[in-house]
Structure formats: C-alpha cells, structure tokens
Amino acid sequence: MKRFAIAGIQMSVSAFEENITRMGHYVAHVKHRFPWVDMVLFSELAAYGPSPLKAETMPGEAEQRLCQIAAQHGIWLIPGSLFELRDGHVFNTSPVINPQGEVIARFSKLFPFLPYEKGITAGDQFVVFDVPDAGRIGISICYDMWFPETTRTLAAMGAEVILHPTMTDTIDREVELAIARASAVTNQVYFLDINGVGDGGTGRSIVVDPAGYVLHQAGNGPESSRWKSTSTRSGASVNAACAGWASRSRASATVAAISRCTSATAAWMPICTGWAR
C-alpha cells in the first residue's frame, strides 16, 4: 500500500517583508511532528506577497532558497507562486520542487485576475507532473479555476489531484468554495485550494474529494486541532489525517478521515493519500 501525504499551509503572508524564512519554519515543524508528510503546498504569492516589483528571474535567489528547504527536509515543495521576470514580462509562476531540491516544472498562471494583476502576463502551458509510485498531479492558480476548461484539461492530462494555491482577499471567497467543490466532483479529482491570511488572503482553505465532499475547510483565525487514527483496508493503523486518494482506474483506496493542526497565525491540513498498487 502506497500512501502520499500532502500538507497545505494556510499561512499569514506579509506584503512588506519576505516570508520564505517563515515558510521554512513551517516545513521544519511539519516534518518534525508528522514525518510521514511527503509534500507541502503554500498559498499563491506566499514568498514575497502580492507586489510584482519583487519579481525576479527563475532560477533566482528566492527559488534557490525554496529548493534548499525542499532538499533539507526531503519533501516535494510547491511554494505557492512567485512573480517571475522572463523576457521582459512578469508572470505569476509556481515552481514544482522535488525532494532533491530540483525544479522539475514551472506553471505560470493562465488567467491573471484583472484589474488587480494588471501588467502580469498570462501563461500558455498546462502543467502536470508525476510523483513516482503515487500518481499524477496538476497545478492551477487562483482565478484559473473560474474557467472550468482549466481543471477539465488537467484531468484529461491524467491529473488525479489538483493543487490550487490562491490569494483571495475579496468578498467572493464563498463563491470560490463552491467552485472548488464543483471542480472536484465534475472532474473526479481531489482539489486542494490553499488560501493565505493577513496580506495573503482571507483564509478558508478547502480540501475536496472526487465526490464533492469537503474533507476539511479552514477558518480565517486561530483554531484548535484534533487527530484521529484510522486504518487501511489491509488493516494497517494510520495515526494521521488521511483521505483516500482513489484513482479513477483503481478500485482499492485508503479509508478516509480528516483532521487539522493550527496555530494563531496559520492553519495547515495534512492529507494522507494512497491506493493499493
């Protein structure tokens, strides 16, 4: 039985100071307390906040620091996104970093949110990537999910899980929660929509299963935690927050339960996923 665990970090993001140091602290805490976590996902523009004036080329200093965090802790890292300077244009780009600290893909947001992202160039490539012995994962960013063709295309490319970092600080967060559920159920995928707090959004991150059921929805303030123990169909005990990542082509999935761990400034949701190989 192969399990793959994803921790989504709903972190307080500053628009005026770098946040990479804090991101590293959260990754260290997650791996120390829950060493079975394989991947960590942050919210959109978590590293430096929403200022395109902080755009830099990739590879660059910020991306290299993030690669070092991934390699140090041996995890897959999707650090939300950063503003990328490329060919005289600014893109909103999410790097995919493997446990060796290597960037294996970069996804640039397809639909910048106008007028708030005026001057940001749209990407033109869909991105999916394979995690060995686990499955195929797709990425979209924030406003991308408002266009159903984006998630549909990722699913058609074989994605079974969609990672969706967002930075929503507007009044339409309630609508986005409905879109996240619809995106999951209509495409039969797990959908992890991770928002920031503070300057990085209004929180309320959500994780949805392929049936459209909410596995977890965070609040926008301090929360308490509760952990459960569950088991797989093979009878093994799992002391974690687990959600069955059921492939459309596989009948045997992990039994599911969900929990959370939060602090005064952040909430994060580990999702243990897997199926029988």
Side-chain angles (χ1 to χ4, degrees), residues 38-53:
D38 301 293
M39 175 182 285
V40 178
L41 167 66
F42 286 88
S43 59
E44 179 186 16
L45 300 173
Y48 284 119
S51 174
L53 297 177

Side-chain angles (χ1 to χ4, degrees), residues 190-219:
Y190 280 89
F191 200 94
L192 286 78
D193 177 283
I194 304 301
N195 197 16
V197 293
D199 296 331
T202 56
R204 302 178 72 189
S205 299
I206 190 171
V207 179
V208 188
D209 77 4
Y213 289 103
V214 176
L215 298 178
H216 175 69
Q217 183 178 320

Side-chain angles (χ1 to χ4, degrees), residues 34-237:
F34 305 103
W36 45 264
V37 168
D38 301 293
M39 175 182 285
V40 178
L41 167 66
F42 286 88
S43 59
E44 179 186 16
L45 300 173
Y48 284 119
S51 174
L53 297 177
K54 298 176 181 178
E56 60 180 65
T57 57
M58 293 185 180
E61 180 183 356
E63 192 179 59
Q64 182 57 40
R65 290 179 63 189
L66 294 165
C67 288
Q68 291 171 354
I69 293 171
Q72 178 182 354
H73 298 286
I75 54 134
W76 290 85
L77 179 61
I78 290 78
S81 65
L82 306 93
F83 282 125
E84 176 194 10
L85 184 62
R86 187 197 327 153
D87 300 328
H89 299 276
V90 176
F91 297 83
N92 186 340
T93 299
S94 178
V96 178
I97 306 170
N98 71 14
Q100 290 73 46
E102 302 164 336
V103 176
I104 65 163
R106 295 186 181 95
F107 169 73
S108 293
K109 188 174 184 178
L110 299 170
F111 296 96
F113 186 39
L114 300 176
Y116 299 100
E117 287 188 280
K118 182 178 180 180
I120 305 304
T121 301
D124 59 3
Q125 299 289 326
F126 291 92
V127 170
V128 297
F129 63 97
D130 292 322
V131 175
D133 300 319
R136 179 164 291 180
I137 295 176
I139 300 182
S140 63
I141 299 175
C142 199
Y143 197 40
D144 288 342
M145 79 171 177
W146 285 69
F147 302 87
E149 295 83 1
T150 59
T151 306
R152 177 69 74 185
T153 299
L154 293 172
M157 294 171 71
E160 299 164 280
V161 175
I162 306 298
L163 305 178
H164 186 78
T166 189
M167 191 203 76
T168 300
D169 58 0
T170 48
I171 61 173
D172 51 4
R173 184 59 182 160
E174 190 70 34
V175 178
E176 289 193 327
L177 299 178
I179 295 174
R181 295 186 68 180
S183 296
V185 70
T186 58
N187 294 283
Q188 292 290 281
V189 295
Y190 280 89
F191 200 94
L192 286 78
D193 177 283
I194 304 301
N195 197 16
V197 293
D199 296 331
T202 56
R204 302 178 72 189
S205 299
I206 190 171
V207 179
V208 188
D209 77 4
Y213 289 103
V214 176
L215 298 178
H216 175 69
Q217 183 178 320
N220 49 20
E223 299 180 19
S224 61
S225 66
R226 180 174 297 174
W227 289 90
K228 297 182 179 180
S229 177
T230 187
S231 63
T232 66
R233 293 182 180 180
S234 63
S237 179

